[in-house]
Amino acid sequence: DDDDDGGGGPPSDEDEEFHFRQKITEVDPREEAEFDRELRALMQESLESRKVEQRARPTLNMTIPMNIFEGSLKDHHGRGGGEGDSGDETLDEEDGGNKEVRVKVLVKRGNKQQTKQMNIPQDCSLVRSTKQKEAAELEE
Amino acid sequence: EETGDDESYDQYGKGDFMEHACKYCGVQNPACVVRCNVPSCRKWFCNSRGNTSGSHIVNHLVRAKHKEVCLHKDSPLGETILECYNCGCRNVFLLGFISAKTESVVVLLCREPCLSVNALKDMNWDLSQWCPLIDDRCFLPWLVKVPSEQEQLRARQISAQQINKIEELWKTNPDATLEDLEKPGVDDEPQPVALKYEDAYQYQNVFAPLIKLEADYDKMMKESQSKDNVTVRWDIGLNKKRVAYFVFPKEDNELRLVPGDELRLRYSGDAAHPAWMSVGHVIKLTAQEEVALELRASQGAPVDVNHGFSVDFVWKSTSFDRMQSAMKTFAVDDTSVSGYIYHHLLGHEVEMQMIRNTMPRRFGAPGLPELNASQVFAVKSVLQKPISLIQGPPGTGKTVTSAAIVYHMAKQGQGQVLVCAPSNVAVDQLAEKISATGLKVVRLCAKSREAVSSPVEHLTLHYQVRHLDTSDKSELHKLQLLKDEQGELSSSDEKKYKALKRATEREIAQSADVICCTCVGAKDPRLANFRFRQVLIDESTQATEPECLIPLVLGAKQVILVGDHCQLGPVIMCKKAARAGLAQSLFERLVLLGVKPIRLQVQYRMHPSLSEFPSNSFYEGTLQNGVTINERQSSGIDFPWPMPNRPMFFYVQMGQEEISASGTSYLNRTEAANVEKIVTTFLRSGVVPHQIGVITPYEGQRAYIVNYMSRNGALRQQLYKEIEIASVDSFQGREKDYIILSCVRSNEHQGIGFLNDPRRLNVALTRARYGIVILGNPKVLSKQPLWNSLLTHYKEHECLVEGPLNNLKQSMVQFQKPKKIYN
Ligand SMILES: [Zn+2]
Ligand SMILES: [Zn+2]
Ligand SMILES: [Zn+2]
């Protein structure tokens, strides 16, 4: 039944041009304060509970598996398509200006390690330091 | 069986409620939502702040004290429960990202204890830049995207109070919805309609309960209409289907059968016949108020029996369901209408938008009469705007204007144009005019009305499917013949037949320039997946808002509402729903919101004397006459008009009103007797029955006049039977050469009920082309300001008369002071 879009012609969803006077939404300061209080309480409680629970320090299992780098090397040079080369790791976002960096997120599925690709803004503190260091190393 | 096929693909709006839509605001972009991972909760929330200080997901976690979440399977990381890479801790309030010192690798790590383990410092990780998952009361926007401004504007605008309330409710009832917060108690008055709505969810919250009330009332009333001891006359239709004729006596309440209604005919059985029942569709109502019912299955029908049948009304929820579904689509599907139309309909401030189209050189259309100046102006302005209102006072040619607009829209090549109206009669008229311009028109009728005769049968989809012009006899054609011959097909053939028919219907509908159907018909399963950017709704002031919404939510970017808010609005049976404002049309609300209707100003119906009062009282005197006195001269008709050049008079009646037998309506015997005299005088003077219309606001009086004339008419009975006698309301949109209006109400102390509505008076006064006679009691009517001015108008023109018809005299009856109107 969903074979097509009917006789309506090709539905091109060109950006609509219209201007909407957005009403200014004000957040009730009392509501905001109350919410903040609850949020902080929850943070606090979370931290406290961990301190109590985890008397023994956990054993670390944080080595970055080498195969990831190998994989990433393959990614960088093996696959064509021009993406992922350390030089073009910054991607231009459509809306311009806001450069992004491609990172690998390391996660565990059961006991297996996996990586997933993700873009994060270049100005995020998380990558800023890495980038700076990389740049510094390069200069050396 | 036939309806079974109907319903199988007649589902609620497409993909209405995505499971992963934010439970607060409805945003359903997979990149923007996360699921709360608490097993008893598992609700989805988005990462937008809306009107609150924290994002929706953070709001939920804090309010519900839930701490674990899972990403959507279509998000960049896939379906992933967020947890500490090292220890597996899932408390999102503790989690944050760290990155490796050299490579672009990041992991989630909990603040306590993993981040504070000293050994980690020696490894490849950079701990100094630990980046919390929840920052500024929002998830990291690069992990869970914040919905775009556009998405947020079209989402439900939920407040902090509502969030607190619903979170409270979820503690006892995890399945509660925001609608439950608004639900009125059984005895509460429903929430009234508003001028503006925050969002389409609020809109739905207001209208859905009103439609439900109306549906319940309609169901209750129709299902209580069972009749026993009905006498049946049997016949066979052209399509070989069995047709039962019988009189379904209606009490003088509001229920009126219309073609397409479904009735169940039952026979309880006797020595020679087993018990039997069948459902059928009303295909016509004869002038004698006999119902013709085409049976769906005629096997076993006791066709040699005529007496002792029972009839029940089969109530169908289809139209109400479609209204509800349209409101849902409007709220959850942001492609349902353009952003401009969405915000405009909700009363948000939107900057004027013009459509840049190349304008046609002339605004008329082939096959239509030349347009006058106000019609040309209407066509021209409508083509440039995304939303327009056209007000068409009586006889001003709104059908022709609408047809011209549709013609030009269709020529713009933006896809098929959808043309709707609440009533089938109006759709047929419009379809005919549009077809006259040479456009390819498909008129889509409800399946239940396919057997109902229509003046535009050749345009209907079912007719076009049957009369497909194929040189070689197609498979469908063969199967159709077989089905007609045998009445049914083998199940495999039936399957093949249905598939072929559906494909053919689709093909024909797709090749049309214009699709015409009722508003409710726009959601017909045969139009499933059709999209329409340009929609014109005629008679839109006679539709409720949710009804109007049905054709709009199929992708509308340009909407034209045609109607006249100075004539009668939609009929709402349930008083509670009417009080809450369901009777206000979308057209009217848009007028209140400041959209200026374009008014057609030249009327081609009424004798100039007849249009004078309506023009001054209802249209600020702007109505011009497109017909001359000469063109409306009743030549050769010898009728005792008191002023020969003014074919109108108010005939003073002093007879008492009575409550009708049913106790719910009124009648007036003196007025009925005088109606008969006037009708007889017209007939004797050479007027033929179909030129005359008798109208009255009360069903009790309507039934009484029908009865009275057929018994006491001075001429041949048949002549009176051919005269249409109807309520004011059912005469809207139509005309007659001569109109006789019986007002009925005549009492010292009570009000004048129905007559109080100025829009009803407007309709009553504007049906006649050549002449009008009004029968009523000036003493009673003059209390109401508008009637007072009508009476004064007649008196000033020496048209307020009394006495026998052959010796009418100016009446000196004293008017009462009109009561002040308080607004
Ligand atoms: Zn939860
Ligand atoms: Zn949300
Ligand atoms: Zn941890």
Side-chain angles (χ1 to χ4, degrees):
Chain A
D1 260 17
D2 44 7
D3 45 355
D4 61 11
D5 61 291
S12 79
D13 272 309
E14 81 266 21
D15 272 349
E16 289 168 28
E17 241 187 274
F18 78 97
H19 304 280
F20 176 70
R21 281 184 217 124
Q22 197 185 348
K23 60 174 196 307
I24 300 122
T25 51
E26 308 164 353
V27 175
D28 177 5
R30 268 180 314 178
E31 185 272 321
E32 191 169 4
E34 198 240 289
F35 181 76
D36 257 347
R37 206 165 41 243
E38 274 204 50
L39 176 61
R40 271 201 311 271
L42 204 58
M43 289 275 194
Q44 203 55 41
E45 182 212 298
S46 301
L47 280 170
E48 301 288 316
S49 70
R50 296 291 284 179
K51 279 179 184 153
V52 179
E53 268 171 40
Q54 303 261 343
R55 278 279 156 78
R57 289 297 175 198
T59 45
L60 276 178
N61 179 18
M62 290 289 288
T63 40
I64 302 174
M66 281 321 283
N67 62 330
I68 281 179
F69 298 124
E70 281 156 24
S72 74
L73 285 176
K74 248 177 239 156
D75 255 8
H76 282 194
H77 307 294
R79 231 180 266 152
E83 54 161 27
D85 212 83
S86 55
D88 350 319
E89 253 180 3
T90 54
L91 309 163
D92 278 313
E93 275 284 275
E94 288 156 26
D95 48 355
N98 194 12
K99 297 268 181 70
E100 295 200 337
V101 191
R102 178 160 298 182
V103 297
K104 290 192 176 57
V105 187
L106 192 57
V107 293
K108 276 190 196 139
R109 284 275 142 90
N111 277 327
K112 275 175 103 183
Q113 291 166 321
Q114 275 186 9
T115 59
K116 307 252 180 177
Q117 296 271 359
M118 202 168 58
N119 294 330
I120 65 178
Q122 196 180 26
D123 58 2
C124 171
S125 64
L126 192 61
V127 291
R128 208 164 40 206
S129 60
T130 324
K131 283 275 146 189
Q132 279 163 357
K133 272 177 206 146
E134 266 177 25
E137 275 162 27
L138 262 173
E139 266 173 44
E140 279 166 30
Chain B
E1 224 186 30
E2 277 161 30
T3 51
D5 147 338
D6 238 26
E7 273 136 28
S8 66
Y9 54 128
D10 192 7
Q11 297 148 349
Y12 267 31
K14 55 162 182 144
D16 272 348
F17 289 125
M18 297 270 204
E19 196 217 344
H20 64 260
C22 172
K23 276 281 181 294
Y24 288 164
C25 74
V27 160
Q28 42 184 275
N29 180 346
C32 301
V33 293
V34 295
R35 192 184 72 204
C36 173
N37 202 43
V38 171
S40 61
C41 181
R42 301 225 150 206
K43 293 182 171 65
W44 292 88
F45 297 92
C46 78
N47 202 24
S48 97
R49 284 173 204 272
N51 305 324
T52 53
S53 48
S55 81
H56 288 163
I57 177 60
V58 174
N59 250 297
H60 167 69
L61 297 173
V62 168
R63 296 299 183 193
K65 304 217 177 337
H66 292 170
K67 296 167 190 166
E68 297 182 12
V69 304
C70 178
L71 301 178
H72 192 273
K73 66 173 171 27
D74 297 333
S75 69
L77 293 187
E79 188 169 0
T80 307
I81 296 174
L82 299 181
E83 58 185 25
C84 172
Y85 181 76
N86 189 52
C87 75
C89 161
R90 291 177 173 181
N91 183 332
V92 290
F93 295 99
L94 295 173
L95 295 176
F97 281 101
I98 57 168
S99 66
K101 281 179 182 153
T102 51
E103 273 291 333
S104 299
V105 176
V106 303
V107 291
L108 265 176
L109 198 71
C110 74
R111 244 168 99 178
E112 188 66 37
C114 299
L115 187 65
S116 47
V117 173
N118 274 327
L120 205 56
K121 290 191 181 126
D122 308 328
M123 300 174 76
N124 255 327
W125 300 100
D126 181 2
L127 302 184
S128 62
Q129 301 293 342
W130 184 80
C131 178
L133 185 62
I134 297 175
D135 188 22
D136 192 19
R137 312 177 197 114
C138 186
F139 271 60
L140 287 171
W142 44 266
L143 181 68
V144 185
K145 290 238 162 9
V146 176
S148 71
E149 200 175 324
Q150 200 93 336
E151 281 171 307
Q152 290 194 40
L153 283 173
R154 286 191 76 155
R156 176 193 280 125
Q157 307 296 308
I158 189 172
S159 69
Q161 288 97 311
Q162 281 175 303
I163 288 180
N164 292 344
K165 267 199 212 159
I166 191 72
E167 287 290 352
E168 223 25 66
L169 201 54
W170 280 336
K171 284 175 187 162
T172 51
N173 174 14
D175 297 325
T177 63
L178 276 158
E179 283 70 41
D180 296 333
L181 289 182
E182 321 275 334
K183 255 182 204 154
V186 188
D187 294 322
D188 289 352
E189 283 292 318
Q191 207 183 332
V193 302
L195 188 56
K196 302 175 180 186
Y197 298 87
E198 282 281 296
D199 52 41
Y201 292 94
Q202 195 201 357
Y203 183 89
Q204 193 187 355
N205 282 346
V206 169
F207 278 101
L210 301 184
I211 293 299
K212 172 84 171 43
L213 278 173
E214 181 70 4
D216 290 346
Y217 187 93
D218 193 52
K219 179 171 198 280
M220 188 266 295
M221 216 187 55
K222 290 196 167 139
E223 289 185 344
S224 67
Q225 297 292 314
S226 290
K227 287 278 174 320
D228 293 325
N229 294 319
V230 173
T231 300
V232 170
R233 179 164 71 79
W234 296 98
D235 197 4
I236 289 183
L238 286 175
N239 55 2
K240 306 236 169 65
K241 288 197 176 170
R242 194 56 81 171
V243 181
Y245 285 88
F246 51 87
V247 177
F248 190 50
K250 56 178 171 189
E251 306 293 331
D252 45 7
N253 57 28
E254 306 102 308
L255 177 80
R256 242 173 229 108
L257 282 179
V258 291
D261 279 348
E262 226 176 76
L263 298 177
R264 186 184 300 110
L265 189 61
R266 288 182 285 131
Y267 185 66
S268 55
D270 57 47
H273 304 86
W276 168 89
M277 71 162 82
S278 174
V279 170
H281 291 120
V282 174
I283 52 172
K284 69 178 172 199
L285 297 156
T286 67
Q288 288 71 46
E289 317 215 332
E290 216 181 15
V291 177
L293 188 73
E294 182 187 275
L295 297 183
R296 202 179 288 163
S298 47
Q299 288 109 316
V303 291
D304 51 338
V305 183
N306 297 100
H307 300 285
F309 286 85
S310 301
V311 178
D312 318 305
F313 198 97
V314 181
W315 184 77
K316 285 173 109 183
S317 64
T318 318
S319 51
F320 299 104
D321 291 345
R322 289 179 181 177
M323 295 181 207
Q324 300 282 15
S325 137
M327 287 189 279
K328 266 185 213 166
T329 308
F330 184 48
V332 304
D333 177 0
D334 59 9
T335 64
S336 58
V337 296
S338 72
Y340 181 87
I341 286 173
Y342 175 87
H343 291 295
H344 209 133
L345 294 188
L346 294 173
H348 301 167
E349 265 189 63
V350 187
E351 262 170 42
M352 247 271 271
Q353 190 191 40
M354 295 296 271
I355 292 178
R356 282 179 299 272
N357 267 327
T358 40
M359 284 289 127
R361 272 188 301 120
R362 51 183 295 268
F363 292 94
L368 297 179
E370 278 296 314
L371 301 184
N372 65 42
S374 67
Q375 291 170 332
V376 166
F377 178 74
V379 177
K380 192 172 166 184
S381 6
V382 158
L383 290 176
Q384 301 177 75
K385 283 192 258 167
I387 293 189
S388 350
L389 305 179
I390 296 182
Q391 185 187 10
T396 51
K398 67 186 171 62
T399 310
V400 169
T401 312
S402 299
I405 291 165
V406 172
Y407 173 81
H408 291 297
M409 287 201 296
K411 292 290 175 195
Q412 287 170 353
Q414 295 199 42
Q416 295 177 292
V417 181
L418 180 62
V419 173
C420 296
S423 82
N424 280 290
V425 176
V427 176
D428 286 347
Q429 281 174 359
L430 209 42
E432 190 170 19
K433 279 276 181 301
I434 296 168
S435 164
T437 68
L439 290 177
K440 252 174 130 179
V441 175
V442 162
R443 160 71 163 110
L444 183 76
C445 294
K447 287 224 161 126
S448 58
R449 288 183 60 92
E450 287 186 355
V452 179
S453 73
S454 151
V456 289
E457 189 176 37
H458 62 289
L459 300 176
T460 62
L461 182 60
H462 58 274
Y463 180 95
Q464 294 192 41
V465 169
R466 263 179 171 263
H467 297 80
L468 205 57
D469 186 22
T470 44
S471 44
D472 61 323
K473 288 296 168 210
S474 69
E475 180 80 8
L476 176 64
H477 191 81
K478 279 180 213 152
L479 288 168
Q480 183 72 62
L481 287 178
L482 202 61
K483 193 180 165 104
D484 290 349
E485 241 163 62
Q486 305 175 342
E488 57 189 333
L489 294 170
S490 71
S491 67
S492 69
D493 273 355
E494 180 69 23
K495 225 173 157 186
K496 214 188 298 169
Y497 167 74
K498 274 192 176 154
L500 280 169
K501 193 169 155 200
R502 216 173 278 180
T504 313
E505 282 170 349
R506 207 171 171 75
E507 212 172 285
I508 293 173
Q510 275 174 359
S511 69
D513 301 312
V514 181
I515 304 270
C516 298
C517 58
T518 60
C519 293
V520 167
K523 179 77 178 142
D524 190 288
R526 286 166 291 177
L527 291 182
N529 300 320
F530 276 61
R531 306 278 293 169
F532 301 96
R533 295 167 158 221
Q534 297 166 304
V535 183
L536 181 141
I537 305 178
D538 192 9
E539 278 188 350
S540 68
T541 44
Q542 291 179 64
T544 61
E545 285 212 26
E547 190 177 355
C548 245
L549 214 50
I550 301 171
L552 297 189
V553 296
L554 306 174
K557 294 188 172 214
Q558 192 176 12
V559 174
I560 296 110
L561 301 181
V562 185
D564 183 6
H565 52 303
C566 298
Q567 297 183 58
L568 288 162
V571 181
I572 306 300
M573 309 290 255
C574 170
K575 292 217 171 67
K576 233 183 195 180
R579 269 201 305 274
L582 185 58
Q584 176 182 273
S585 65
L586 176 60
F587 185 113
E588 278 172 285
R589 187 165 63 84
L590 290 173
V591 170
L592 295 174
L593 279 168
V595 183
K596 216 171 149 4
I598 304 162
R599 188 184 282 166
L600 305 180
Q601 292 180 320
V602 185
Q603 71 86 14
Y604 298 92
R605 177 183 296 159
M606 295 163 272
H607 184 289
S609 298
L610 305 189
S611 69
E612 189 183 343
F613 182 83
S615 172
N616 291 332
S617 306
F618 307 109
Y619 304 103
E620 297 94 33
T622 59
L623 218 51
Q624 299 154 32
N625 296 305
V627 285
T628 62
I629 293 175
N630 281 339
E631 286 170 289
R632 285 292 176 268
Q633 204 90 56
S634 323
S635 46
I637 303 292
D638 177 28
F639 189 81
W641 301 109
M643 301 298 290
N645 54 355
R646 286 190 178 271
M648 58 189 232
F649 65 90
F650 192 106
Y651 197 5
V652 175
Q653 305 287 308
M654 289 303 176
Q656 276 299 301
E657 70 181 37
E658 292 168 45
I659 290 174
S660 70
S662 71
T664 58
S665 190
Y666 293 91
L667 60 88
N668 185 317
R669 290 169 202 265
T670 342
E671 283 187 20
N674 281 320
V675 166
E676 184 275 321
K677 290 202 179 82
I678 295 163
V679 167
T680 304
T681 310
F682 270 128
L683 292 174
R684 282 207 173 111
S685 72
V687 173
V688 293
H690 75 80
Q691 288 181 284
I692 306 173
V694 177
I695 59 178
T696 172
Y698 291 98
E699 177 55 31
Q701 178 76 342
R702 193 202 66 82
Y704 185 78
I705 294 176
V706 171
N707 221 309
Y708 183 90
M709 292 213 300
S710 72
R711 285 193 195 155
N712 305 295
L715 304 172
R716 257 189 324 123
Q717 217 192 13
Q718 190 56 33
L719 289 173
Y720 297 97
K721 281 189 174 166
E722 286 166 24
I723 289 170
E724 193 168 356
I725 304 167
S727 67
V728 178
D729 301 42
S730 70
F731 242 100
Q732 177 148 312
R734 301 189 309 123
E735 57 182 29
K736 285 279 178 188
D737 287 350
Y738 298 96
I739 287 286
I740 301 160
L741 168 63
S742 167
C743 294
V744 181
R745 297 310 296 274
S746 176
N747 58 63
E748 281 297 314
H749 307 290
Q750 284 169 305
I752 56 171
F754 269 0
L755 300 173
N756 240 325
D757 188 341
R759 299 180 304 172
R760 187 166 281 110
L761 179 58
N762 183 19
V763 172
L765 295 178
T766 52
R767 300 305 99 196
R769 302 169 77 225
Y770 287 85
I772 187 167
V773 180
I774 306 171
L775 298 90
N777 181 338
K779 275 194 161 164
V780 173
L781 296 168
S782 57
K783 273 189 256 180
Q784 206 260 13
L786 187 58
W787 278 92
N788 191 289
S789 71
L790 176 78
L791 287 159
T792 308
H793 175 82
Y794 273 72
K795 190 175 180 138
E796 278 168 2
H797 291 96
E798 297 172 48
C799 295
L800 183 80
V801 295
E802 59 192 24
L805 260 186
N806 54 13
N807 190 18
L808 292 172
K809 292 220 165 68
Q810 297 296 313
S811 171
M812 290 302 136
V813 62
Q814 289 296 304
F815 297 165
Q816 300 201 37
K817 259 212 211 111
K819 282 190 202 135
K820 281 224 181 80
I821 330 167
Y822 299 99
N823 272 332

